[in-house]
Amino acid sequence: EQPDARLSAMVDDHDRLENVPVSLALRPGTVLGLVGDGTAARAVARALVVQAAVTSGPADLAVRVFVHDAPERWAWPSRRACA
C-alpha cells in the first residue's frame, strides 16, 4: 500500500535535521569519519578532538588523524601539551 502523496511530500521536505546536537558513544575501538564540505568537516573534527581531550585523561584517549590532503593542518593532535 502506497503512502498518501501529501505524507510523502512532508517526509521528503523534512528528512534532514540541521543545527541539532548529535550524541555519539565513542567506545574503545570506535572509528569516526567525517565527510562533506572540507571546511565544515575540519571544524567539526577539531571540536571533537578538543572536547575528547579535555574530558579524558591521557591514558584513556588516543587520537589518530588520517587525511588525504593537507596533513600539515593536522600535525597539532600529535603534539603533547606537557611531557
Side-chain angles (χ1 to χ4, degrees):
E1 188 174 316
Q2 293 292 340
D4 182 279
R6 292 175 299 167
L7 176 60
S8 292
M10 185 176 9
V11 169
D12 289 343
D13 289 344
H14 298 89
D15 66 342
R16 301 280 190 271
L17 296 176
E18 296 180 7
N19 300 317
V20 296
V22 175
S23 176
L24 300 171
L26 297 176
R27 293 183 174 84
T30 300
V31 176
L32 173 66
L34 301 172
V35 297
D37 173 71
T39 301
R42 281 189 296 276
V44 169
R46 281 191 304 271
L48 290 171
V49 169
V50 171
Q51 287 179 47
V54 299
T55 60
S56 303
D60 299 322
L61 178 68
V63 176
R64 300 290 183 260
V65 178
F66 300 94
V67 295
H68 70 279
D69 63 341
E72 67 281 355
R73 290 184 184 176
W74 286 98
W76 64 270
S78 63
R79 296 185 199 121
R80 294 178 185 238
C82 54

